[in-house]
Amino acid sequence: MKIGIIGSGMIGATSARLFVKAGHEVAISNSRGPESLKGLVQELGPRARATSVEEAAAFGELVLLAIPLKAYDTLPRAQLSGKIVIDAMNYYPQRDGQLDFKGGSSSQFVAQQLPGARVVKTFNTMYFKPLGEEGKPGAPLEDRLVLFVAGDDAEARQTVSRLIEQIGFTPIDTGTLATGGKHQQPGTAIYNRLMQPAQAREELSKM
Ligand SMILES: NC(=O)c1ccc[n+]([C@@H]2O[C@H](COP(=O)([O-])OP(=O)(O)OC[C@H]3O[C@@H](n4cnc5c(N)ncnc54)[C@H](OP(=O)(O)O)[C@@H]3O)[C@@H](O)[C@H]2O)c1
């Protein structure tokens, strides 16, 4: 699959390594431009290229958003329309300033900014270190760590879930962007906790 990545920091670069290792083609971008990504794409090898943000969005059948949420209004809406978009972003008011989600989840807010994008919230509940180091492709699904998945588009959720399995984690569905999206936000019982599927299902049943 062709994957665009917006943001080349802890989550963007870590995900790029995992995607390339799983055999996908990656176009990665950041705020400073492709020149600043020379070292990273060299490390990633021939399946990776450094691009502008717009080019990364246009390149990907699936596009990962891995930037601070406060930069939401710089995202290339036209290029993201129709794409499966992973929202890995979390809302931290100290970093992102005051944003008004009008009672919805931060991912609903993101989806509202991106007309036509098929937004799936995932990769946001796990710290980048275990994300980079703890995936176990080939291990039984019940023995792996969980990445939670929320979204309103069933096909998009399925595509993202397959990708999660390929990089060695187990996708666990939390529901729509409204409900599951909120379950996955900072401060909840499943946020930033390493869990296998049995425990994840148990925690979710209590939410
Ligand atoms: N760190 C984690 O473990 C973790 C885990 C789960 C979710 N998250 C969430 O994932 C997102 C990224 O976190 P991170 O820790 O990876 O951040 P980070 O290491 O600070 O990296 C942020 C990246 O976003 C890029 N960026 C900033 N504004 C941009 C814009 N307007 N257009 C394009 N690129 C832009 C930066 O570009 P430059 O490199 O050019 O500065 C940088 O590459 C955040 O929303 C965070 O809450 C983080």
Side-chain angles (χ1 to χ4, degrees), residues 41-72:
V41 291
Q42 203 164 12
E43 174 206 325
L44 290 169
R47 283 198 282 264
R49 67 196 73 183
T51 66
S52 69
V53 168
E54 289 74 15
E55 285 164 345
F59 173 85
E61 302 155 59
L62 181 153
V63 182
L64 170 69
L65 308 182
I67 64 175
L69 185 57
K70 67 177 170 198
Y72 72 87

PDB file of all heavy atoms in Angstrom, residues 41-72:
ATOM      1  N   VAL A  41      15.141   9.199   5.302  1.00  0.00           N
ATOM      2  CA  VAL A  41      14.772   8.362   4.149  1.00  0.00           C
ATOM      3  C   VAL A  41      15.935   7.477   3.708  1.00  0.00           C
ATOM      4  O   VAL A  41      15.724   6.364   3.215  1.00  0.00           O
ATOM      5  CB  VAL A  41      14.210   9.159   2.940  1.00  0.00           C
ATOM      6  CG1 VAL A  41      12.861   9.739   3.250  1.00  0.00           C
ATOM      7  CG2 VAL A  41      15.140  10.197   2.445  1.00  0.00           C
ATOM      8  N   GLN A  42      17.140   7.944   3.957  1.00  0.00           N
ATOM      9  CA  GLN A  42      18.294   7.102   3.663  1.00  0.00           C
ATOM     10  C   GLN A  42      18.249   5.850   4.551  1.00  0.00           C
ATOM     11  O   GLN A  42      18.448   4.739   4.093  1.00  0.00           O
ATOM     12  CB  GLN A  42      19.571   7.881   3.928  1.00  0.00           C
ATOM     13  CG  GLN A  42      20.755   7.342   3.168  1.00  0.00           C
ATOM     14  CD  GLN A  42      21.888   8.358   3.151  1.00  0.00           C
ATOM     15  OE1 GLN A  42      21.856   9.352   3.889  1.00  0.00           O
ATOM     16  NE2 GLN A  42      22.874   8.118   2.330  1.00  0.00           N
ATOM     17  N   GLU A  43      17.957   6.080   5.821  1.00  0.00           N
ATOM     18  CA  GLU A  43      17.834   4.955   6.763  1.00  0.00           C
ATOM     19  C   GLU A  43      16.676   4.030   6.358  1.00  0.00           C
ATOM     20  O   GLU A  43      16.786   2.808   6.446  1.00  0.00           O
ATOM     21  CB  GLU A  43      17.582   5.513   8.185  1.00  0.00           C
ATOM     22  CG  GLU A  43      17.302   4.430   9.212  1.00  0.00           C
ATOM     23  CD  GLU A  43      16.455   4.940  10.387  1.00  0.00           C
ATOM     24  OE1 GLU A  43      16.611   6.100  10.799  1.00  0.00           O
ATOM     25  OE2 GLU A  43      15.623   4.149  10.877  1.00  0.00           O
ATOM     26  N   LEU A  44      15.568   4.623   5.891  1.00  0.00           N
ATOM     27  CA  LEU A  44      14.376   3.820   5.576  1.00  0.00           C
ATOM     28  C   LEU A  44      14.549   2.995   4.302  1.00  0.00           C
ATOM     29  O   LEU A  44      13.886   1.964   4.142  1.00  0.00           O
ATOM     30  CB  LEU A  44      13.156   4.737   5.437  1.00  0.00           C
ATOM     31  CG  LEU A  44      12.649   5.390   6.728  1.00  0.00           C
ATOM     32  CD1 LEU A  44      11.624   6.483   6.411  1.00  0.00           C
ATOM     33  CD2 LEU A  44      12.034   4.352   7.650  1.00  0.00           C
ATOM     34  N   GLY A  45      15.392   3.465   3.394  1.00  0.00           N
ATOM     35  CA  GLY A  45      15.676   2.677   2.190  1.00  0.00           C
ATOM     36  C   GLY A  45      14.769   3.012   1.019  1.00  0.00           C
ATOM     37  O   GLY A  45      14.021   3.995   1.050  1.00  0.00           O
ATOM     38  N   PRO A  46      14.823   2.162  -0.033  1.00  0.00           N
ATOM     39  CA  PRO A  46      14.209   2.516  -1.315  1.00  0.00           C
ATOM     40  C   PRO A  46      12.686   2.606  -1.300  1.00  0.00           C
ATOM     41  O   PRO A  46      12.091   3.154  -2.230  1.00  0.00           O
ATOM     42  CB  PRO A  46      14.656   1.377  -2.250  1.00  0.00           C
ATOM     43  CG  PRO A  46      15.100   0.273  -1.356  1.00  0.00           C
ATOM     44  CD  PRO A  46      15.572   0.897  -0.082  1.00  0.00           C
ATOM     45  N   ARG A  47      12.037   2.073  -0.286  1.00  0.00           N
ATOM     46  CA  ARG A  47      10.572   2.179  -0.244  1.00  0.00           C
ATOM     47  C   ARG A  47      10.098   3.511   0.340  1.00  0.00           C
ATOM     48  O   ARG A  47       8.894   3.720   0.475  1.00  0.00           O
ATOM     49  CB  ARG A  47       9.976   1.012   0.562  1.00  0.00           C
ATOM     50  CG  ARG A  47       9.953  -0.287  -0.242  1.00  0.00           C
ATOM     51  CD  ARG A  47       9.001  -1.303   0.355  1.00  0.00           C
ATOM     52  NE  ARG A  47       9.554  -1.956   1.512  1.00  0.00           N
ATOM     53  CZ  ARG A  47      10.175  -3.132   1.493  1.00  0.00           C
ATOM     54  NH1 ARG A  47      10.309  -3.778   0.349  1.00  0.00           N
ATOM     55  NH2 ARG A  47      10.653  -3.671   2.588  1.00  0.00           N
ATOM     56  N   ALA A  48      11.048   4.393   0.702  1.00  0.00           N
ATOM     57  CA  ALA A  48      10.659   5.664   1.331  1.00  0.00           C
ATOM     58  C   ALA A  48      11.129   6.858   0.511  1.00  0.00           C
ATOM     59  O   ALA A  48      12.170   6.806  -0.140  1.00  0.00           O
ATOM     60  CB  ALA A  48      11.253   5.753   2.724  1.00  0.00           C
ATOM     61  N   ARG A  49      10.332   7.924   0.524  1.00  0.00           N
ATOM     62  CA  ARG A  49      10.750   9.187  -0.081  1.00  0.00           C
ATOM     63  C   ARG A  49      10.332  10.344   0.823  1.00  0.00           C
ATOM     64  O   ARG A  49       9.357  10.223   1.570  1.00  0.00           O
ATOM     65  CB  ARG A  49      10.137   9.347  -1.462  1.00  0.00           C
ATOM     66  CG  ARG A  49       8.636   9.524  -1.441  1.00  0.00           C
ATOM     67  CD  ARG A  49       8.019   9.283  -2.791  1.00  0.00           C
ATOM     68  NE  ARG A  49       8.034   7.857  -3.115  1.00  0.00           N
ATOM     69  CZ  ARG A  49       7.602   7.342  -4.266  1.00  0.00           C
ATOM     70  NH1 ARG A  49       7.152   8.128  -5.208  1.00  0.00           N
ATOM     71  NH2 ARG A  49       7.631   6.054  -4.474  1.00  0.00           N
ATOM     72  N   ALA A  50      11.082  11.442   0.731  1.00  0.00           N
ATOM     73  CA  ALA A  50      10.744  12.655   1.482  1.00  0.00           C
ATOM     74  C   ALA A  50      10.015  13.598   0.551  1.00  0.00           C
ATOM     75  O   ALA A  50      10.439  13.799  -0.579  1.00  0.00           O
ATOM     76  CB  ALA A  50      12.020  13.306   1.998  1.00  0.00           C
ATOM     77  N   THR A  51       8.919  14.156   1.023  1.00  0.00           N
ATOM     78  CA  THR A  51       8.099  15.012   0.154  1.00  0.00           C
ATOM     79  C   THR A  51       7.595  16.227   0.935  1.00  0.00           C
ATOM     80  O   THR A  51       7.791  16.322   2.144  1.00  0.00           O
ATOM     81  CB  THR A  51       6.854  14.248  -0.362  1.00  0.00           C
ATOM     82  OG1 THR A  51       6.010  13.967   0.752  1.00  0.00           O
ATOM     83  CG2 THR A  51       7.220  12.968  -1.079  1.00  0.00           C
ATOM     84  N   SER A  52       6.869  17.078   0.227  1.00  0.00           N
ATOM     85  CA  SER A  52       6.131  18.146   0.910  1.00  0.00           C
ATOM     86  C   SER A  52       4.909  17.509   1.571  1.00  0.00           C
ATOM     87  O   SER A  52       4.537  16.360   1.266  1.00  0.00           O
ATOM     88  CB  SER A  52       5.668  19.198  -0.107  1.00  0.00           C
ATOM     89  OG  SER A  52       4.669  18.634  -0.943  1.00  0.00           O
ATOM     90  N   VAL A  53       4.259  18.260   2.436  1.00  0.00           N
ATOM     91  CA  VAL A  53       3.043  17.777   3.105  1.00  0.00           C
ATOM     92  C   VAL A  53       1.964  17.447   2.063  1.00  0.00           C
ATOM     93  O   VAL A  53       1.322  16.394   2.115  1.00  0.00           O
ATOM     94  CB  VAL A  53       2.546  18.850   4.108  1.00  0.00           C
ATOM     95  CG1 VAL A  53       1.156  18.536   4.606  1.00  0.00           C
ATOM     96  CG2 VAL A  53       3.528  18.976   5.271  1.00  0.00           C
ATOM     97  N   GLU A  54       1.785  18.342   1.099  1.00  0.00           N
ATOM     98  CA  GLU A  54       0.749  18.135   0.070  1.00  0.00           C
ATOM     99  C   GLU A  54       1.044  16.881  -0.741  1.00  0.00           C
ATOM    100  O   GLU A  54       0.135  16.109  -1.060  1.00  0.00           O
ATOM    101  CB  GLU A  54       0.676  19.352  -0.879  1.00  0.00           C
ATOM    102  CG  GLU A  54       0.085  20.612  -0.264  1.00  0.00           C
ATOM    103  CD  GLU A  54       1.027  21.315   0.712  1.00  0.00           C
ATOM    104  OE1 GLU A  54       2.253  21.016   0.720  1.00  0.00           O
ATOM    105  OE2 GLU A  54       0.543  22.168   1.476  1.00  0.00           O
ATOM    106  N   GLU A  55       2.314  16.680  -1.083  1.00  0.00           N
ATOM    107  CA  GLU A  55       2.684  15.497  -1.879  1.00  0.00           C
ATOM    108  C   GLU A  55       2.485  14.207  -1.085  1.00  0.00           C
ATOM    109  O   GLU A  55       2.054  13.196  -1.639  1.00  0.00           O
ATOM    110  CB  GLU A  55       4.151  15.598  -2.332  1.00  0.00           C
ATOM    111  CG  GLU A  55       4.362  16.591  -3.466  1.00  0.00           C
ATOM    112  CD  GLU A  55       5.838  16.988  -3.653  1.00  0.00           C
ATOM    113  OE1 GLU A  55       6.671  16.730  -2.750  1.00  0.00           O
ATOM    114  OE2 GLU A  55       6.130  17.573  -4.697  1.00  0.00           O
ATOM    115  N   ALA A  56       2.790  14.250   0.197  1.00  0.00           N
ATOM    116  CA  ALA A  56       2.592  13.048   1.030  1.00  0.00           C
ATOM    117  C   ALA A  56       1.107  12.689   1.066  1.00  0.00           C
ATOM    118  O   ALA A  56       0.727  11.516   0.957  1.00  0.00           O
ATOM    119  CB  ALA A  56       3.119  13.283   2.445  1.00  0.00           C
ATOM    120  N   ALA A  57       0.260  13.707   1.205  1.00  0.00           N
ATOM    121  CA  ALA A  57      -1.188  13.465   1.256  1.00  0.00           C
ATOM    122  C   ALA A  57      -1.684  12.929  -0.081  1.00  0.00           C
ATOM    123  O   ALA A  57      -2.518  12.022  -0.132  1.00  0.00           O
ATOM    124  CB  ALA A  57      -1.918  14.751   1.632  1.00  0.00           C
ATOM    125  N   ALA A  58      -1.165  13.486  -1.176  1.00  0.00           N
ATOM    126  CA  ALA A  58      -1.595  13.035  -2.508  1.00  0.00           C
ATOM    127  C   ALA A  58      -1.093  11.621  -2.790  1.00  0.00           C
ATOM    128  O   ALA A  58      -1.771  10.818  -3.430  1.00  0.00           O
ATOM    129  CB  ALA A  58      -1.073  14.002  -3.569  1.00  0.00           C
ATOM    130  N   PHE A  59       0.094  11.286  -2.293  1.00  0.00           N
ATOM    131  CA  PHE A  59       0.729   9.983  -2.553  1.00  0.00           C
ATOM    132  C   PHE A  59      -0.025   8.832  -1.892  1.00  0.00           C
ATOM    133  O   PHE A  59      -0.221   7.767  -2.480  1.00  0.00           O
ATOM    134  CB  PHE A  59       2.161  10.042  -2.011  1.00  0.00           C
ATOM    135  CG  PHE A  59       2.906   8.734  -2.049  1.00  0.00           C
ATOM    136  CD1 PHE A  59       3.576   8.337  -3.204  1.00  0.00           C
ATOM    137  CD2 PHE A  59       2.952   7.905  -0.933  1.00  0.00           C
ATOM    138  CE1 PHE A  59       4.275   7.132  -3.235  1.00  0.00           C
ATOM    139  CE2 PHE A  59       3.644   6.698  -0.955  1.00  0.00           C
ATOM    140  CZ  PHE A  59       4.315   6.312  -2.107  1.00  0.00           C
ATOM    141  N   GLY A  60      -0.478   9.049  -0.655  1.00  0.00           N
ATOM    142  CA  GLY A  60      -0.994   7.928   0.139  1.00  0.00           C
ATOM    143  C   GLY A  60      -2.407   7.503  -0.225  1.00  0.00           C
ATOM    144  O   GLY A  60      -3.283   8.347  -0.413  1.00  0.00           O
ATOM    145  N   GLU A  61      -2.616   6.181  -0.305  1.00  0.00           N
ATOM    146  CA  GLU A  61      -4.005   5.677  -0.288  1.00  0.00           C
ATOM    147  C   GLU A  61      -4.512   5.845   1.143  1.00  0.00           C
ATOM    148  O   GLU A  61      -5.688   5.997   1.408  1.00  0.00           O
ATOM    149  CB  GLU A  61      -4.039   4.183  -0.627  1.00  0.00           C
ATOM    150  CG  GLU A  61      -3.427   3.829  -1.969  1.00  0.00           C
ATOM    151  CD  GLU A  61      -2.945   2.386  -1.994  1.00  0.00           C
ATOM    152  OE1 GLU A  61      -3.769   1.484  -1.787  1.00  0.00           O
ATOM    153  OE2 GLU A  61      -1.728   2.175  -2.227  1.00  0.00           O
ATOM    154  N   LEU A  62      -3.540   5.776   2.029  1.00  0.00           N
ATOM    155  CA  LEU A  62      -3.779   5.984   3.461  1.00  0.00           C
ATOM    156  C   LEU A  62      -2.772   7.033   3.929  1.00  0.00           C
ATOM    157  O   LEU A  62      -1.616   7.002   3.508  1.00  0.00           O
ATOM    158  CB  LEU A  62      -3.555   4.644   4.169  1.00  0.00           C
ATOM    159  CG  LEU A  62      -3.750   4.529   5.661  1.00  0.00           C
ATOM    160  CD1 LEU A  62      -4.129   3.093   6.012  1.00  0.00           C
ATOM    161  CD2 LEU A  62      -2.503   4.923   6.427  1.00  0.00           C
ATOM    162  N   VAL A  63      -3.227   7.957   4.766  1.00  0.00           N
ATOM    163  CA  VAL A  63      -2.338   9.041   5.222  1.00  0.00           C
ATOM    164  C   VAL A  63      -2.391   9.132   6.742  1.00  0.00           C
ATOM    165  O   VAL A  63      -3.475   9.204   7.337  1.00  0.00           O
ATOM    166  CB  VAL A  63      -2.743  10.395   4.600  1.00  0.00           C
ATOM    167  CG1 VAL A  63      -1.783  11.498   5.047  1.00  0.00           C
ATOM    168  CG2 VAL A  63      -2.781  10.319   3.077  1.00  0.00           C
ATOM    169  N   LEU A  64      -1.212   9.111   7.359  1.00  0.00           N
ATOM    170  CA  LEU A  64      -1.108   9.212   8.816  1.00  0.00           C
ATOM    171  C   LEU A  64      -0.859  10.664   9.221  1.00  0.00           C
ATOM    172  O   LEU A  64       0.082  11.303   8.734  1.00  0.00           O
ATOM    173  CB  LEU A  64       0.068   8.338   9.296  1.00  0.00           C
ATOM    174  CG  LEU A  64       0.495   8.489  10.758  1.00  0.00           C
ATOM    175  CD1 LEU A  64      -0.567   7.949  11.715  1.00  0.00           C
ATOM    176  CD2 LEU A  64       1.827   7.782  11.001  1.00  0.00           C
ATOM    177  N   LEU A  65      -1.697  11.163  10.124  1.00  0.00           N
ATOM    178  CA  LEU A  65      -1.497  12.509  10.671  1.00  0.00           C
ATOM    179  C   LEU A  65      -0.774  12.386  12.008  1.00  0.00           C
ATOM    180  O   LEU A  65      -1.333  11.849  12.969  1.00  0.00           O
ATOM    181  CB  LEU A  65      -2.840  13.218  10.892  1.00  0.00           C
ATOM    182  CG  LEU A  65      -3.800  13.260   9.700  1.00  0.00           C
ATOM    183  CD1 LEU A  65      -5.069  14.033  10.073  1.00  0.00           C
ATOM    184  CD2 LEU A  65      -3.133  13.877   8.463  1.00  0.00           C
ATOM    185  N   ALA A  66       0.453  12.869  12.070  1.00  0.00           N
ATOM    186  CA  ALA A  66       1.269  12.742  13.283  1.00  0.00           C
ATOM    187  C   ALA A  66       1.937  14.070  13.585  1.00  0.00           C
ATOM    188  O   ALA A  66       3.171  14.181  13.654  1.00  0.00           O
ATOM    189  CB  ALA A  66       2.300  11.622  13.120  1.00  0.00           C
ATOM    190  N   ILE A  67       1.100  15.101  13.732  1.00  0.00           N
ATOM    191  CA  ILE A  67       1.578  16.449  14.056  1.00  0.00           C
ATOM    192  C   ILE A  67       0.837  16.926  15.306  1.00  0.00           C
ATOM    193  O   ILE A  67      -0.154  16.314  15.713  1.00  0.00           O
ATOM    194  CB  ILE A  67       1.348  17.430  12.881  1.00  0.00           C
ATOM    195  CG1 ILE A  67      -0.161  17.609  12.607  1.00  0.00           C
ATOM    196  CG2 ILE A  67       2.051  16.948  11.623  1.00  0.00           C
ATOM    197  CD1 ILE A  67      -0.478  18.658  11.547  1.00  0.00           C
ATOM    198  N   PRO A  68       1.310  17.995  15.943  1.00  0.00           N
ATOM    199  CA  PRO A  68       0.531  18.537  17.070  1.00  0.00           C
ATOM    200  C   PRO A  68      -0.841  18.981  16.572  1.00  0.00           C
ATOM    201  O   PRO A  68      -0.947  19.597  15.506  1.00  0.00           O
ATOM    202  CB  PRO A  68       1.369  19.733  17.535  1.00  0.00           C
ATOM    203  CG  PRO A  68       2.728  19.527  16.955  1.00  0.00           C
ATOM    204  CD  PRO A  68       2.534  18.765  15.693  1.00  0.00           C
ATOM    205  N   LEU A  69      -1.880  18.678  17.352  1.00  0.00           N
ATOM    206  CA  LEU A  69      -3.247  18.971  16.914  1.00  0.00           C
ATOM    207  C   LEU A  69      -3.445  20.446  16.577  1.00  0.00           C
ATOM    208  O   LEU A  69      -4.233  20.804  15.693  1.00  0.00           O
ATOM    209  CB  LEU A  69      -4.231  18.512  18.003  1.00  0.00           C
ATOM    210  CG  LEU A  69      -5.716  18.637  17.674  1.00  0.00           C
ATOM    211  CD1 LEU A  69      -6.085  17.878  16.414  1.00  0.00           C
ATOM    212  CD2 LEU A  69      -6.554  18.148  18.843  1.00  0.00           C
ATOM    213  N   LYS A  70      -2.695  21.320  17.265  1.00  0.00           N
ATOM    214  CA  LYS A  70      -2.881  22.764  17.036  1.00  0.00           C
ATOM    215  C   LYS A  70      -2.631  23.150  15.576  1.00  0.00           C
ATOM    216  O   LYS A  70      -3.097  24.189  15.124  1.00  0.00           O
ATOM    217  CB  LYS A  70      -1.980  23.581  17.960  1.00  0.00           C
ATOM    218  CG  LYS A  70      -0.511  23.438  17.661  1.00  0.00           C
ATOM    219  CD  LYS A  70       0.350  24.318  18.540  1.00  0.00           C
ATOM    220  CE  LYS A  70       1.807  23.942  18.342  1.00  0.00           C
ATOM    221  NZ  LYS A  70       2.686  24.394  19.379  1.00  0.00           N
ATOM    222  N   ALA A  71      -1.915  22.307  14.832  1.00  0.00           N
ATOM    223  CA  ALA A  71      -1.618  22.620  13.421  1.00  0.00           C
ATOM    224  C   ALA A  71      -2.684  22.065  12.476  1.00  0.00           C
ATOM    225  O   ALA A  71      -2.475  22.023  11.259  1.00  0.00           O
ATOM    226  CB  ALA A  71      -0.241  22.063  13.053  1.00  0.00           C
ATOM    227  N   TYR A  72      -3.839  21.683  13.007  1.00  0.00           N
ATOM    228  CA  TYR A  72      -4.876  21.045  12.183  1.00  0.00           C
ATOM    229  C   TYR A  72      -5.264  21.880  10.958  1.00  0.00           C
ATOM    230  O   TYR A  72      -5.564  21.355   9.900  1.00  0.00           O
ATOM    231  CB  TYR A  72      -6.131  20.766  13.038  1.00  0.00           C
ATOM    232  CG  TYR A  72      -6.915  22.000  13.413  1.00  0.00           C
ATOM    233  CD1 TYR A  72      -7.893  22.513  12.569  1.00  0.00           C
ATOM    234  CD2 TYR A  72      -6.661  22.685  14.598  1.00  0.00           C
ATOM    235  CE1 TYR A  72      -8.592  23.674  12.897  1.00  0.00           C
ATOM    236  CE2 TYR A  72      -7.349  23.840  14.933  1.00  0.00           C
ATOM    237  CZ  TYR A  72      -8.312  24.322  14.070  1.00  0.00           C
ATOM    238  OH  TYR A  72      -8.981  25.469  14.380  1.00  0.00           O
TER     239      TYR A  72
END
